[in-house]
Amino acid sequence: MTNIFVRELPMSRSAVRLSVFFACLAVTALSAFVRIPLPFTPVPVTLQTAAVLWAGLCLGAHRGALSQIGYLALGAAGIPVFAGAQAGALFLAGPTAGYIVGFIAAAFIVGKLSKGFSGGWMALCSMLLLADATIFACGAVWLKVVTHAGTGHLLTMGVLPFIPGEIAKIVAVAGVYMKLRSRINALR
């Protein structure tokens, strides 16, 4: 990817990294607008987890986590980037705030584990699954605080209905990454 940018556009490596950083932040925000509400839970289905995993792969641990902190800061500042075009600091006290905080940890985990990654597709999917599970663990903990739901109800509201979609997103992200791995690694 860097070679294409450098050849086509007279940009420094830092400028390309900065562009990718803001692109990852924007994709996380835009993916919140692909939202499917579920009647039995305050947590909607979105494409955000795929964007978060992609940010960690493209940016590495620190920049990936920073892109998600930037996303959180934009929403807290009142820019409607959260699911359902929500915004504001009060949103971060709501039932989905734990998932958003989990975005930061997940991007960091993916970035850290994928540094110099040369393994196969299954190893990559396992790595992405671990990071995705981190999002859902953070989300479930905060959902428990907000709703006081029992463990069974909590799993039904905040984890189990999302598993098929998360598997599909992990497979898609892993597939794209495997095709672009050399270009992405050159960028990091």
Side-chain angles (χ1 to χ4, degrees):
M1 189 173 255
T2 301
N3 293 337
I4 291 170
F5 280 120
V6 171
R7 190 176 39 210
E8 300 297 327
L9 299 170
M11 295 175 68
S12 70
R13 185 178 177 109
S14 296
V16 172
R17 284 182 175 168
L18 190 61
S19 297
V20 173
F21 174 87
F22 284 113
C24 286
L25 192 156
V27 168
T28 302
L30 291 172
S31 65
F33 289 93
V34 179
R35 177 182 176 267
I36 303 169
L38 301 176
F40 53 87
T41 178
V43 182
V45 174
T46 70
L47 288 179
Q48 289 178 291
T49 52
V52 169
L53 298 175
W54 189 250
L57 287 170
C58 287
L59 297 170
H62 298 289
R63 287 192 305 271
L66 281 173
S67 74
Q68 299 312 303
I69 291 169
Y71 167 73
L72 189 148
L74 286 175
I79 298 170
V81 295
F82 297 139
Q86 297 289 316
L90 284 179
F91 183 84
L92 295 174
T96 60
Y99 297 91
I100 295 170
V101 171
F103 292 175
I104 299 165
F108 184 85
I109 289 168
V110 169
K112 197 64 141 171
L113 294 177
S114 67
K115 184 176 182 179
F117 178 76
S118 61
W121 185 79
M122 284 300 288
L124 179 60
C125 285
S126 298
M127 205 185 325
L128 296 175
L129 182 62
L130 174 65
D132 203 51
T134 302
I135 294 171
F136 281 86
C138 292
V141 166
W142 184 250
L143 193 58
K144 170 85 173 154
V145 168
V146 172
T147 65
H148 306 291
T151 303
H153 190 232
L154 185 66
L155 290 173
T156 302
M157 272 194 318
V159 178
L160 297 176
F162 303 96
I163 291 174
E166 294 307 306
I167 291 171
K169 288 182 247 182
I170 287 168
V171 167
V173 168
V176 173
Y177 177 78
M178 292 303 282
K179 295 281 186 193
L180 302 174
R181 175 177 23 193
S182 63
R183 292 178 178 164
I184 292 169
N185 288 342
L187 179 65
R188 289 174 57 180

